[in-house]
Amino acid sequence: MKSDKVRVLICPLDWGLGHATRCIPLIRELIENGAEVIVGSDGLQLTLLQTEFPGIEFVRLPGYNVSYGKRLPVAIKVLTDAPRLLRMIAKEHKEINKIIRELQPDMVISDNRYGLWNKNVYSVFITHQVNIIAPAALMLYAPVLRLATRYHMKHYDESWIPDFAGKLNLSGKLSHGRNLPQNTSYIGLLSRFDQLKATKRSQRRYDVVAIVSGPEPQRTIFENKLLARLPLPDKHCLLLRGIPGDTQIKPLRKGLDIADHLETEELGSILHQKPVVICRAGYSTLMDIAYTGNKAVLIPTPGQTEQEFLAKNLHKAGIYAARKQKDFDLSEAYNQAIACSGFNLPKNHTYYQGVIYKLMQKLKSEKSIHPKKG
């Protein structure tokens, strides 16, 4: 296969939809810079990106297929799954080598998939968890997790952290502090809403938008808890189920509409009207509501230490309200969210655009000097 364009293979992790949605601005920017983009994914992530980019090339690349238990804490389940995950990383490394031989990309961008590097192709790793937080019962394993993360990251030419380097940031100690790997750089926040015009307004207006996300069975558990609490009195509410496919908004009961999924432009236009958002503390969701300027109630997935840390940290800073899933008063949480500040997005927040531009210029130059043989 032979192409004059720089071919970029981008592969999001299959752990919820967030890794796929935060690849949307990268794909847009790559296309804007003349790249020929290929997406490697599977399942709901593949469906979502096919909807967003129907004209580009796709290849099926099986994911890690991680599920959350109803009772077993997520971090402990991941630890017990560690041998299987290590096998999956080794398997995906072999698979990416095969795909590279067939499709001949000039660059691979891996969103939090540890095995998608190749020594003969420029390889980029995206993560907001350089320092993985272990649960209290497994704190002795924290250094091991940190070493394992850095071991895999060093195989990549670059590691991109979707955040800001200074005190104003979203990820906190997850991706800040001393002794970061030398190949890491901060590229600003990544949101599918960053190129939407705030002046565009949806005909639908809501006081509350509840967004369900994440792997099963916790996705359904969260949805059912929200259904039992919505709508709030005298509020017009929308519940998004987080299932790509049907994008029609339907009335469910007085004061509450529901939809399986909304395309980026429609959801962005609704969020730009500043409803209070009720959502998981998933990092991609946080980046989205930072862009659209919403106040929020964060309800982390039980046992997922990353989300629990983010919710607690942002709640402590007075940016968002936070509640535990087990039992929460949504009306009280709504009022607290109104009193919070929300995230103050810096004016200069699109570092990734400059990073991609420079990297594309480099790859174009190398491609012209050393063209691949078709």
Side-chain angles (χ1 to χ4, degrees), residues 72-92:
L72 189 65
V74 174
I76 295 177
K77 186 177 187 307
V78 170
L79 188 65
T80 60
D81 268 357
R84 184 184 69 85
L85 292 174
L86 290 173
R87 289 194 298 270
M88 288 298 299
I89 291 170
K91 183 177 179 181
E92 74 176 3

Side-chain angles (χ1 to χ4, degrees), residues 210-312:
I211 302 173
V212 183
S213 61
E216 297 290 2
Q218 287 295 335
R219 189 210 65 80
T220 296
I221 293 172
F222 187 36
E223 178 183 342
N224 289 337
K225 286 183 176 291
L226 290 171
L227 283 170
R229 290 164 170 81
L230 292 172
L232 293 179
D234 302 318
K235 305 297 180 187
H236 191 198
C237 305
L238 172 66
L239 175 65
L240 296 179
R241 302 182 63 229
I243 303 174
D246 188 3
T247 59
Q248 185 178 359
I249 297 176
K250 304 172 184 177
L252 183 66
R253 59 177 76 117
K254 185 178 179 180
L256 178 62
D257 293 345
I258 192 167
D260 287 349
H261 174 72
L262 293 180
E263 292 184 359
T264 295
E265 186 172 356
E266 175 70 8
L267 179 55
S269 65
I270 288 173
L271 293 182
H272 270 305
Q273 296 181 73
K274 303 298 185 289
V276 171
V277 174
I278 302 165
C279 60
R280 292 300 197 194
Y283 195 70
S284 298
T285 301
L286 294 178
M287 290 193 289
D288 281 345
I289 61 175
Y291 262 93
T292 49
N294 300 91
K295 297 187 177 185
V297 177
L298 307 181
I299 303 174
T301 302
Q304 188 172 341
T305 52
E306 170 217 346
Q307 289 195 18
E308 291 174 339
F309 164 76
L310 289 169
K312 183 178 179 180

Side-chain angles (χ1 to χ4, degrees), residues 47-290:
T47 301
L48 185 149
L49 292 173
Q50 285 174 329
T51 301
E52 292 286 337
F53 301 100
I56 68 174
E57 187 176 353
F58 293 86
V59 59
R60 290 196 176 274
L61 183 62
Y64 296 173
N65 194 28
V66 175
S67 62
Y68 293 168
K70 290 185 177 181
R71 295 180 179 84
L72 189 65
V74 174
I76 295 177
K77 186 177 187 307
V78 170
L79 188 65
T80 60
D81 268 357
R84 184 184 69 85
L85 292 174
L86 290 173
R87 289 194 298 270
M88 288 298 299
I89 291 170
K91 183 177 179 181
E92 74 176 3
H93 182 60
K94 291 181 179 179
E95 184 67 21
I96 199 65
N97 291 337
K98 178 182 176 183
I99 290 174
I100 287 172
R101 288 193 297 271
E102 292 177 354
L103 301 181
Q104 296 188 24
D106 302 285
M107 176 168 64
V108 175
I109 299 177
S110 167
D111 190 326
N112 232 88
R113 299 185 63 159
Y114 291 98
L116 302 185
W117 56 272
N118 183 284
K119 62 182 180 181
N120 298 317
V121 174
Y122 203 87
S123 304
V124 175
F125 185 72
I126 301 174
T127 186
H128 64 275
Q129 294 189 78
V130 182
N131 302 310
I132 295 176
I133 298 176
L138 301 173
M139 196 56 68
L140 289 174
Y141 290 92
V144 177
L145 289 172
R146 190 173 297 112
L147 287 172
T149 301
R150 281 158 170 72
Y151 169 78
H152 288 291
M153 289 175 66
K154 74 178 184 180
H155 291 299
Y156 290 82
D157 296 289
E158 295 185 36
S159 294
W160 294 348
I161 300 173
D163 201 356
F164 306 110
K167 292 183 179 180
L168 179 62
N169 63 73
L170 276 179
S171 62
K173 65 180 181 180
L174 287 174
S175 288
H176 293 78
R178 295 178 297 174
N179 302 321
L180 292 180
Q182 291 184 349
N183 65 347
T184 58
S185 60
Y186 296 95
I187 63 169
L189 303 187
L190 294 174
S191 170
R192 52 181 161 161
F193 303 131
D194 72 338
Q195 293 185 21
L196 298 181
K197 294 182 179 179
T199 54
K200 182 177 175 58
R201 293 289 183 262
S202 172
Q203 294 181 354
R204 300 175 184 269
R205 188 176 185 89
Y206 295 97
D207 302 299
V208 174
V209 174
I211 302 173
V212 183
S213 61
E216 297 290 2
Q218 287 295 335
R219 189 210 65 80
T220 296
I221 293 172
F222 187 36
E223 178 183 342
N224 289 337
K225 286 183 176 291
L226 290 171
L227 283 170
R229 290 164 170 81
L230 292 172
L232 293 179
D234 302 318
K235 305 297 180 187
H236 191 198
C237 305
L238 172 66
L239 175 65
L240 296 179
R241 302 182 63 229
I243 303 174
D246 188 3
T247 59
Q248 185 178 359
I249 297 176
K250 304 172 184 177
L252 183 66
R253 59 177 76 117
K254 185 178 179 180
L256 178 62
D257 293 345
I258 192 167
D260 287 349
H261 174 72
L262 293 180
E263 292 184 359
T264 295
E265 186 172 356
E266 175 70 8
L267 179 55
S269 65
I270 288 173
L271 293 182
H272 270 305
Q273 296 181 73
K274 303 298 185 289
V276 171
V277 174
I278 302 165
C279 60
R280 292 300 197 194
Y283 195 70
S284 298
T285 301
L286 294 178
M287 290 193 289
D288 281 345
I289 61 175

